C-alpha cells in the first residue's frame, strides 16, 4: 500500500457531489449485525486554508500527540473557547464572494484523527463487508482509512457511506477526515442559520454480513374503504418479512393484504416487524397509511388533513446542530403537548432519529432537501445553480440521499425540494426523479408559485387577506395551481414578542377546505450560549456580515422553555372547540381522525378568579367534525357583585406516550355574571398643606400636581405613557419600510415625549392636573387631564386624552406609568390573564387569580423588548397597593424602565434598580408578525383617538 502526499484541493470547488461514496440506501438504527460508534474525542488541527497542510496526517504512525481535541459529533467553532474560530450567522447573504463554484482561499479546514480498535466480538475481517457511515459533515469532507483515501463528499446534512472492509485491521485503525468550511456545496446550503463547520452527526462503522440487508423499501398502504392495509417490502437482497401482530410472514417483494389499524399523526399505530435475510435481521416499524391528492385536497387515509405545524431547524445552544436523542425527544414531546401535529424539516433532512420519533409519537412531516441558494437574489438569481445543468448531478444526489435514507417513515407525507432557491431546470429534474421513485408521497416546493413541479400551492407569509382570497379561489394564477390545495409553509414569524394574528389565520384555515394549514416559523431561538451575553446572536462574534437576532425567531427559547408564542399557538390550534353561553356548551371535535374517547371534560365556575370546585362534564365520544350540545351540571353561583366565569377543560383521560393523564388539551372560558361597577371614590376634598396637597391616602406636589406618595409608599413619576420598547415585530423587516411601526414611532419621537404642565386645579371634589404630552419637533400632541378624587380611603384617577394634530401612525401603548420602591414590591397578584398577552396574542389569556414575583413577570426574549403585559386585568396588587381598573386594563411591572429595556441588546445589559416601574395601560398596539410577515390587522391598531379610563388605588389596610 502506498501513501500519496498532495496539496491538491480542486475537489473543494468541484460542483459534483463527490467521489467514492456508496449509493444511498435506507437508514435504520439497529439490526443484529455488528456496529461500532466512532463518536467521541478526536484529535484536531485547524488550518486557515484548504491547502495549508499536506496529507501526511492520514498516514499510519503519524504523531498527533500535540494536537487539540474536539468532540464528534460537534462543530469545532463551538469548542475550544474560541481557539477554533467563531460561528457566523447570515439569513441569506453568502459570507464569501458570490463567484460559483469558487470559495475564498481563507477557508478554515479542520483535520480530524481517530484511532480505534475493533471490538473483541467483531466478526472476522474476511467475513462479509464493512461500511463507514457519516451522517452529517459541514460542508466538504475528504476521508482516509489507514492511509488509503476513500473519497470526498459534499451535502452537509445527508449520509455518505464508504466500503472499508479490505482496509481494516484488528487494532490501531487510523481514520482521518479533512473538513473544509467552504466548498462548492456551500452555494447550495445558504439556509437562514449559523454557518457551523464540523463532523456534527454520527460516525459509525457497520459490519455488512454476507447475505445482509442492503437497501429496502417498505410500502404500507391503507384502504380506508375496506380497513385493509397492503404491505410489500422491496429489497435488493432476497428475504422474508415477518409482522407477528398481523400474522404476516411473506417473501420480500410479495404483497400481502390484511385488516389493520392505520397510522396517522393522531393515532400513530406502528406494527413491529422484521426484515430477515440470510445474514441479517432488521427491525421494522410499519405504519399503514395512504397519501393522495384528491378532489383538490391533501388526503391521508381518505380524509383531508389540516397541518398545525412548525418549521424546525436543528439547534442546541451549546452543541449547535449536534443533537442527541433526548434533546430530539424533548422537542417532539413539547410539540405534542402543545397540540402541534406537523413539522417541516427546514431546510434539510434532520437527524434520522428525529423521524423515528415522529413515527412513534405522531407528527406529519414535510421532509426537506438540503438545498437553498437564497443569496443569489442579490444578483437577480443570475448564475443560480438550480438553473445551471452543471449542478444538476449534485441536486439529484441530494434528492436521492434524502429520499432513499428516509423512505420508510410513515410520518413523511411530503418530499420538499428545498427552500428559497428560485426556479430552474435542476429543481424540475429533482421533482421528476422523486415522483418517479416514490409515488406514495407528494412533492412540495414553495418557490414554484406556478406549481409546475409540485403537488401543492405553497407560500410564505401571505397576509390574512391574501389567504382568504386563495381560500375563495380568487387568487388567479395558472389553472393547475387553482386546482391544488394551499398551505402556508411559513407564517407567524415567531421572532421576539409574538407572533400576533395566529387566531385570525386559524379561522381562515378552518373556513376554507382548500387551505390546509401551515407551519409557524420557527421552532427554537438559535441563541448560542455565551458566558457574558447569556445567549449570543448574529454580530456577537464579530462577523463582517450578519443579520443580528433574526436567528432568534422560535416558539421556544434557546434553553427550550416555551415562549408565550407557543402557549398561544397551542390554544389557537387546539383540537377541541368549546363554545357556549349560560347553561350550555357546544363541543366540536376538530381532530382529523381521532374521536374524543381519549378525553375527559371538567367544568368549574370561578368567582373573582377563584375556582369554586370542579365537576365532570359528560361529553359523548364525538367523531371528527361532530358537535354536541352539553348542559352544564351546576347553576352559576351568586357572585355577590364579583365576576363569575365558567371554564371547561378537555383533559387526557389516561396516560399517553407523550403526556400524563389530565394533561390539558383544550379549554374555554365565558363570563356569566360581570363584576359590579366600581363604587365611586368621591366625597373627600383636597386640602393644601405647605407645598403639598392631601387627598385621602395620597400626597401630591402642590406646584406640579404630581403624586408623591400613596398610603405612605413613595410614588415616582406617574404620568401618561405611550412608548414601549419596540418588539422585533414592531421594528419590522428591512424590506417593509413604509409600515415598520417601530421605525415610524421613533421618527415621530414617541420615545422622547415631553410633558407640559398647563394647570393644577382643586375644588371641593377633585384635584385636576392639565397637561399636554407631545414629541419634540412635531405639532401633534395628546391633551391629557388627570382627575383625582377620593372617598378618604380609596383614590380614583381618571385620565382623559384628546389627540391634537394629524396623527398618521397608531400609538404603541396608552396608559400611565409610575415607579414604586423596589423594596416595597416583591410580588404581584392580579385577576386577569395569567401569561403575557397583547391584542392579537390573547387567545390563551385565561382569566384567573394569579401571583408572581416581579422577575417572573418578565419574558426573557433573547433581544430585550416590550414584554410581560397581562391583559384583561380587573385588579392588581403590588405589595400593599391595590389597583382596580375601570374598564379592564393591561398590567406590567418591571425593575427597569422601557427606555432601559429599549437600549439593551442582551438580557445581561439589564440591571434591576431600586424602583419597580408599573404600567397600567388602557390600550396596546397589536403585535403582528412583521419581523418577516404582515403587521397587525387593522382591528388591533391602537389609534390616536379620544380616550377616558380610570383606576382606583387602595391600600391593603383599606380593603380589609
Amino acid at each position: 500500500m502506498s501513501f500519496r502526499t498532495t496539496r491538491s484541493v480542486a475537489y473543494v470547488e468541484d460542483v459534483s457531489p463527490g467521489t467514492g461514496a456508496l449509493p444511498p440506501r435506507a437508514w435504520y438504527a439497529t439490526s443484529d449485525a455488528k456496529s461500532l460508534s466512532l463518536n467521541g474525542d478526536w484529535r484536531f488541527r485547524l488550518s486557515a486554508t484548504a491547502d495549508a497542510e499536506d496529507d501526511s496526517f492520514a498516514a499510519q504512525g503519524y504523531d498527533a500527540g500535540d494536537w487539540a481535541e474536539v468532540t464528534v459529533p460537534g462543530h469545532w467553532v463551538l469548542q475550544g473557547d474560541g481557539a477554533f474560530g467563531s460561528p457566523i450567522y447570515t439569513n441569506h447573504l453568502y459570507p464569501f464572494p458570490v463567484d460559483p463554484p469558487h470559495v475564498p482561499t481563507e477557508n478554515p479546514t479542520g483535520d480530524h484523527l481517530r484511532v480505534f480498535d475493533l471490538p473483541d466480538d467483531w466478526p472476522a475481517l474476511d467475513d462479509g463487508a464493512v461500511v463507514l457511515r457519516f451522517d452529517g459533515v459541514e460542508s466538504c469532507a475528504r476521508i482516509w482509512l489507514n492511509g488509503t483515501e476513500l473519497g470526498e463528499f459534499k451535502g452537509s446534512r445527508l449520509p455518505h457511506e464508504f466500503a472499508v472492509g479490505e482496509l481494516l485491521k484488528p487494532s490501531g485503525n487510523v481514520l482521518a477526515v479533512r473538513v473544509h468550511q467552504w466548498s462548492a456545496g456551500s452555494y447550495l446550503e445558504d439556509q437562514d442559520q449559523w454557518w457551523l463547520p464540523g463532523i456534527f452527526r454520527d460516525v459509525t462503522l457497520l459490519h455488512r454480513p454476507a447475505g445482509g440487508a442492503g437497501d429496502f423499501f417498505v410500502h404500507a398502504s391503507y384502504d380506508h374503504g375496506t380497513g385493509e392495509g397492503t404491505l410489500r417490502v422491496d429489497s435488493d437482497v432476497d428475504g422474508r418479512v415477518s409482522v407477528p401482530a398481523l400474522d404476516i410472514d411473506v417473501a420480500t417483494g410479495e404483497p400481502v393484504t390484511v385488516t389493520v389499524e392505520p397510522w396517522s399523526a393522531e393515532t400513530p399505530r406502528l406494527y413491529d416487524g422484521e426484515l430477515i435475510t440470510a445474514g441479517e435481521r432488521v427491525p421494522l416499524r410499519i405504519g399503514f397509511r395512504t397519501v393522495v391528492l384528491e378532489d383538490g385536497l391533501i388526503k391521508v387515509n381518505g380524509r383531508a388533513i389540516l397541518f398545525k405545524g412548525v418549521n424546525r431547524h436543528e439547534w442546541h445552544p451549546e452543541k449547535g446542530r449536534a443533537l442527541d436523542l433526548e434533546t430530539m425527544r424533548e422537542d417532539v414531546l413539547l410539540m405534542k403537548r402543545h397540540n402541534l401535529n406537523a413539522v417541516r424539516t427546514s431546510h434539510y433532512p434532520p437527524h434520522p432519529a428525529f423521524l423515528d420519533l415522529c413515527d412513534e409519537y405522531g407528527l406529519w412531516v414535510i421532509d426537506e432537501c438540503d438545498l437553498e441558494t437564497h443569496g443569489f437574489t442579490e444578483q437577480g438569481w443570475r448564475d443560480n445553480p438550480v438553473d445551471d445543468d452543471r449542478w444538476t448531478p449534485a441536486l439529484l444526489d441530494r434528492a436521492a440521499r434524502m429520499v432513499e435514507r428516509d423512505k420508510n417513515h410513515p410520518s413523511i407525507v411530503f418530499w420538499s425540494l428545498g427552500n428559497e432557491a428560485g426556479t430552474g431546470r435542476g429543481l424540475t429534474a429533482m421533482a421528476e426523479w422523486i415522483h418517479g421513485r416514490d409515488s406514495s408521497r407528494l412533492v412540495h416546493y414553495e418557490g414554484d408559485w406556478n406549481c409546475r413541479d409540485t403537488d401543492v400551492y405553497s407560500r410564505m407569509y401571505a397576509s390574512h387577506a391574501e389567504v382568504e382570497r386563495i381560500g375563495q379561489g380568487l387568487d388567479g394564477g395558472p389553472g393547475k395551481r387553482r386546482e391544488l390545495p394551499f398551505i402556508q409553509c411559513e407564517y407567524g414569524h415567531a421572532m421576539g414578542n409574538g407572533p400576533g394574528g395566529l387566531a385570525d389565520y386559524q379561522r381562515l384555515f378552518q373556513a376554507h377546505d382548500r387551505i390546509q394549514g401551515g407551519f409557524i416559523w420557527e421552532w427554537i431561538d438559535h441563541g448560542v450560549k455565551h458566558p457574558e451575553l447569556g445567549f449570543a446572536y448574529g454580530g456577537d462574534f464579530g462577523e463582517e456580515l450578519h443579520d443580528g437576532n433574526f436567528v432568534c425567531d422560535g416558539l421556544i427559547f434557546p434553553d427550550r422553555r416555551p415562549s408565550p408564542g407557543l402557549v398561544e399557538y397551542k390554544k389557537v390550534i387546539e383540537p377541541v372547540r368549546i363554545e357556549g353561553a349560560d347553561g350550555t356548551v357546544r363541543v366540536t371535535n376538530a381532530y382529523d381522525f381521532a374521536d374524543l374517547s381519549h378525553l375527559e371534560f371538567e367544568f368549574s365556575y370561578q368567582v373573582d378568579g377563584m375556582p369554586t370546585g370542579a365537576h365532570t362534564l359528560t361529553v359523548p365520544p364525538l367523531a371528527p367534525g361532530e358537535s354536541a350540545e352539553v348542559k352544564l351540571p351546576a347553576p352559576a353561583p351568586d357572585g355577590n357583585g364579583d365576576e363569575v366565569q365558567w371554564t371547561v377543560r378537555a383533559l387526557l383521560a389516561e396516560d399517553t406516550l407523550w403526556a400524563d393523564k389530565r394533561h390539558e388539551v383544550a379549554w374555554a372560558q365565558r363570563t356569566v355574571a360581570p363584576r359590579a361597577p366600581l363604587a365611586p371614590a368621591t366625597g373627600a376634598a383636597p386640602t393644601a398643606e405647605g407645598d403639598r396637597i392631601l387627598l385621602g391616602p395620597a400626597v401630591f406636589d402642590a406646584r406640579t400636581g404630581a403624586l408623591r406618595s400613596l398610603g405612605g409608599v413613595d410614588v415616582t413619576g406617574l404620568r401618561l405613557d405611550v412608548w414601549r420598547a419596540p418588539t422585533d415585530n414592531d421594528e419590522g423587516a428591512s424590506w417593509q419600510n413604509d409600515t415598520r411601526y417601530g421605525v415610524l414611532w421613533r421618527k415621530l419621537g414617541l420615545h422622547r415625549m415631553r410633558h407640559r404642565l398647563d394647570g393644577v386645579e382643586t375644588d371641593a371634589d377633585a384635584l385636576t392636573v392639565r397637561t399636554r404630552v407631545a414629541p419634540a419637533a412635531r405639532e401633534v400632541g395628546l391633551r391629557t387631564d388627570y382627575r383625582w378624587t377620593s372617598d378618604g380611603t380609596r383614590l380614583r384617577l381618571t385620565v382623559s386624552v384628546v389627540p391634537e394634530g394629524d396623527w398618521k401612525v397608531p400609538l404603541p401603548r396608552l396608559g400611565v406609568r409610575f415607579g414604586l420602591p423596589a423594596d416595597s414590591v416583591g410580588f404581584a397578584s392580579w385577576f386577569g390573564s395569567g401569561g403575557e398577552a397583547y391584542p392579537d396574542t390573547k387567545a390563551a389569556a385565561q382569566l384567573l387569580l394569579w401571583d408572581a414575583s416581579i422577575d417572573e413577570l418578565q419574558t426573557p426574549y433573547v433581544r430585550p423588548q416590550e414584554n410581560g403585559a397581562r391583559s384583561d386585568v380587573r385588579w392588581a396588587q403590588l405589595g400593599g397597593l391595590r389597583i382596580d381598573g375601570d374598564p379592564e386594563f393591561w398590567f406590567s411591572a418591571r425593575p427597569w424602565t422601557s427606555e432601559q429595556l429599549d437600549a439593551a441588546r442582551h438580557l445581561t445589559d439589564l440591571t434591576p434598580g431600586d424602583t419597580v416601574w408599573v404600567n397600567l395601560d388602557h390600550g396596546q398596539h397589536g403585535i403582528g408578525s412583521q419581523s418577516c410577515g404582515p403587521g397587525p390587522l387593522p382591528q388591533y391598531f391602537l389609534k390616536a383617538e379620544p380616550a377616558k379610563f380610570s383606576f382606583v388605588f387602595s391600600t391593603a389596610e383599606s380593603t380589609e
Side-chain angles (χ1 to χ4, degrees), residues 647-934:
T647 300
V648 173
R649 304 168 66 212
L651 312 170
L652 289 179
E654 302 292 342
D655 291 347
T656 69
L657 191 63
W658 49 270
D660 294 338
K661 180 179 179 178
R662 293 189 59 77
H663 166 79
E664 185 177 86
V665 173
W667 62 272
Q669 192 174 62
R670 296 291 182 273
T671 297
V672 295
R675 61 178 175 147
L678 292 180
T682 59
T687 59
E689 188 177 279
D691 64 351
R692 304 183 304 167
I693 296 175
L694 308 181
L695 180 60
V699 177
F700 297 85
D701 185 289
R703 183 178 64 85
T704 65
L707 178 64
R708 288 182 177 178
S709 67
L710 180 58
V713 176
D714 291 341
V715 178
T716 302
L718 188 149
R719 63 186 187 180
L720 189 78
D721 190 16
V722 299
W723 178 246
R724 71 186 188 194
T727 68
D728 290 312
N729 287 303
D730 290 338
E731 297 286 18
S734 60
W735 57 88
Q736 298 167 321
N737 289 327
D738 293 340
T739 57
R740 297 169 64 194
Y741 294 107
V743 175
L744 295 173
W745 293 336
R746 288 187 199 278
K747 183 177 180 181
L748 183 59
L750 299 188
H751 60 309
R752 46 179 175 77
M753 299 291 275
R754 299 292 182 261
H755 298 253
R756 187 183 76 207
L757 178 63
D758 287 343
V760 178
E761 304 169 3
T762 59
D763 57 29
D765 298 320
L767 165 66
T768 302
V769 181
R770 306 192 187 280
T771 69
R772 187 176 190 270
V773 183
R778 305 292 176 183
E779 65 175 356
V780 297
L782 300 170
R783 185 72 63 178
T784 306
D785 290 349
Y786 309 88
R787 187 172 190 271
W788 299 92
T789 62
S790 177
D791 60 4
T793 58
R794 296 179 304 137
L795 182 72
R796 185 182 186 103
L797 166 63
T798 299
V799 182
S800 301
V801 180
V802 178
E804 295 180 338
D806 185 13
W807 284 84
K808 298 182 182 299
V809 297
L811 297 172
R813 68 171 356 122
L814 182 67
V816 296
R817 179 177 77 171
F818 58 91
L820 296 173
D823 58 8
S824 72
V825 183
F827 281 80
S829 59
W830 70 97
F831 175 27
S833 75
E836 176 183 281
Y838 290 83
D840 55 349
T841 65
K842 55 186 287 189
Q846 189 165 163
L847 303 177
L848 285 171
L849 186 62
W850 307 92
D851 62 76
S853 69
I854 300 302
D855 286 343
E856 291 169 338
L857 288 172
Q858 316 311 308
T859 305
Y861 295 115
V862 175
R863 185 192 74 81
Q865 55 199 270
E866 166 65 32
N867 73 87
R870 270 57 181 179
S871 72
D872 302 301
V873 175
R874 278 65 168 157
W875 58 262
Q877 185 161 327
L878 292 152
L881 178 66
R882 172 169 167 143
I883 307 127
D884 287 81
D886 184 13
E888 295 80 18
F889 59 99
W890 270 272
F891 157 69
S892 56
R894 53 178 64 102
W896 35 72
T897 65
S898 294
E899 290 75 18
Q900 291 169 323
L901 190 63
D902 188 16
R905 288 294 162 266
H906 296 86
L907 291 172
T908 50
D909 295 334
L910 292 167
T911 302
D914 56 7
T915 301
V916 169
W917 292 95
V918 180
N919 277 94
L920 310 176
D921 291 315
H922 176 63
Q924 283 268 359
H925 187 61
I927 296 296
S929 187
Q930 203 171 12
S931 51
C932 193

Side-chain angles (χ1 to χ4, degrees), residues 1 19 52 88 187 213 250 377 383 396 406 432 625 793 892:
M1 182 184 302
T19 60
I88 299 170
Y187 283 99
V250 66
T377 57
D383 298 327
L396 290 172
D406 296 343
E432 290 175 347
T793 58
S892 56

Side-chain angles (χ1 to χ4, degrees), residues 516-599:
Q516 294 196 249
F519 297 78
I520 297 296
W521 185 268
E522 65 156 302
W523 177 239
I524 187 170
D525 286 340
H526 298 200
V528 178
K529 191 170 183 180
H530 192 282
E532 298 170 2
L533 303 176
F535 292 110
Y537 49 76
D540 288 334
F541 297 99
E543 304 101 302
E544 293 178 339
L545 291 174
H546 66 85
D547 286 283
N549 67 311
F550 201 70
V551 76
C552 295
D553 46 14
L555 291 172
I556 60 176
F557 297 118
D559 59 6
R560 283 183 157 74
R561 283 184 294 166
S563 77
L566 181 58
V567 176
E568 175 81 356
Y569 193 40
K570 175 187 178 180
K571 173 61 179 169
V572 165
I573 60 176
E574 60 189 12
V576 181
R577 294 197 293 272
I578 305 166
E579 304 160 299
D582 294 352
T584 303
V585 294
R586 182 177 181 83
V587 178
T588 301
N589 181 351
Y591 285 103
D592 292 327
F593 295 92
D595 65 25
L596 299 189
S597 60
H598 65 294
L599 300 176

Side-chain angles (χ1 to χ4, degrees), residues 382-698:
R382 187 176 63 256
D383 298 327
N384 186 5
V386 305
D387 201 28
D388 183 335
D389 292 339
R390 294 175 300 169
W391 295 81
T392 299
L395 303 183
L396 290 172
D397 179 76
R398 289 172 183 246
R401 290 189 182 279
M402 171 183 69
V403 171
E404 302 297 2
R405 189 196 78 167
D406 296 343
K407 58 182 177 278
N408 295 324
H409 290 283
S411 56
I412 297 172
V413 292
F414 270 96
W415 301 116
S416 180
L417 304 181
N419 184 68
E420 292 178 315
T423 57
R425 299 185 298 274
L427 289 166
T428 298
M430 293 171 70
E432 290 175 347
W433 184 88
I434 292 173
H435 275 122
R437 176 60 175 142
D438 180 18
S439 61
S440 70
R441 296 178 175 93
L442 305 178
V443 171
H444 167 273
Y445 177 64
E446 184 272 342
D448 183 16
W449 282 19
N450 289 332
C451 301
R452 178 181 64 180
D453 302 320
T454 59
D455 300 309
V456 63
Y457 178 30
S458 177
R459 289 284 303 280
M460 297 179 181
Y461 307 107
S463 69
H464 298 79
E466 185 178 4
V467 169
E468 184 160 31
R469 288 196 300 273
I470 292 170
Q472 294 169 340
L474 303 176
D475 54 306
K480 179 185 177 183
R481 189 179 86 182
R482 294 197 302 272
E483 296 173 355
L484 292 179
F486 173 78
I487 64 171
Q488 285 251 62
C489 70
E490 293 180 23
Y491 82 110
H493 197 250
M495 186 177 177
N497 187 332
L502 296 185
D504 304 278
Y505 271 120
Q506 197 67 23
R507 282 189 285 270
L508 293 171
F509 297 169
Q510 294 167 353
H512 301 285
D513 291 343
R514 184 190 182 191
I515 303 174
Q516 294 196 249
F519 297 78
I520 297 296
W521 185 268
E522 65 156 302
W523 177 239
I524 187 170
D525 286 340
H526 298 200
V528 178
K529 191 170 183 180
H530 192 282
E532 298 170 2
L533 303 176
F535 292 110
Y537 49 76
D540 288 334
F541 297 99
E543 304 101 302
E544 293 178 339
L545 291 174
H546 66 85
D547 286 283
N549 67 311
F550 201 70
V551 76
C552 295
D553 46 14
L555 291 172
I556 60 176
F557 297 118
D559 59 6
R560 283 183 157 74
R561 283 184 294 166
S563 77
L566 181 58
V567 176
E568 175 81 356
Y569 193 40
K570 175 187 178 180
K571 173 61 179 169
V572 165
I573 60 176
E574 60 189 12
V576 181
R577 294 197 293 272
I578 305 166
E579 304 160 299
D582 294 352
T584 303
V585 294
R586 182 177 181 83
V587 178
T588 301
N589 181 351
Y591 285 103
D592 292 327
F593 295 92
D595 65 25
L596 299 189
S597 60
H598 65 294
L599 300 176
E600 60 186 22
F601 289 79
E602 184 178 273
F603 162 82
S604 64
Y605 284 109
Q606 294 82 238
V607 177
D608 198 25
M610 183 67 70
T612 61
H615 306 266
T616 298
L617 191 65
T618 302
V619 176
L622 301 168
E626 289 186 345
S627 299
E629 301 285 341
V630 180
K631 184 176 176 57
L632 299 182
D638 184 355
N640 293 317
D642 290 327
E643 188 169 356
V644 178
Q645 280 107 11
W646 58 249
T647 300
V648 173
R649 304 168 66 212
L651 312 170
L652 289 179
E654 302 292 342
D655 291 347
T656 69
L657 191 63
W658 49 270
D660 294 338
K661 180 179 179 178
R662 293 189 59 77
H663 166 79
E664 185 177 86
V665 173
W667 62 272
Q669 192 174 62
R670 296 291 182 273
T671 297
V672 295
R675 61 178 175 147
L678 292 180
T682 59
T687 59
E689 188 177 279
D691 64 351
R692 304 183 304 167
I693 296 175
L694 308 181
L695 180 60

Side-chain angles (χ1 to χ4, degrees), residues 176-215:
V177 184
R178 173 163 285 170
V179 180
H180 306 285
Q181 175 155 22
W182 311 122
S183 70
S186 301
Y187 283 99
L188 303 180
E189 297 170 5
D190 189 28
Q191 293 99 345
D192 174 12
Q193 61 180 345
W194 295 96
W195 298 86
L196 298 172
I199 305 172
F200 69 95
R201 287 186 185 159
D202 306 295
V203 182
T204 312
L205 199 67
L206 301 166
H207 180 240
R208 308 308 305 132
D215 189 25

Side-chain angles (χ1 to χ4, degrees), residues 206-274:
L206 301 166
H207 180 240
R208 308 308 305 132
D215 189 25
F216 59 91
F217 196 162
V218 177
H219 303 273
S221 61
Y222 178 72
D223 186 329
H224 64 278
T226 65
E228 294 177 323
T230 298
L231 175 67
R232 187 185 82 245
V233 179
D234 295 333
S235 173
D236 59 5
V237 175
D238 290 341
R240 300 195 66 78
V241 176
S242 171
V243 187
L246 296 174
D247 199 24
I248 290 176
D249 188 345
V250 66
T252 53
E254 295 294 324
V256 58
T257 299
V258 293
T259 300
V260 298
E261 298 174 34
W263 188 97
S264 75
E266 295 168 8
T267 54
R269 180 65 163 97
L270 292 172
Y271 291 90
D272 290 325
E274 198 170 37

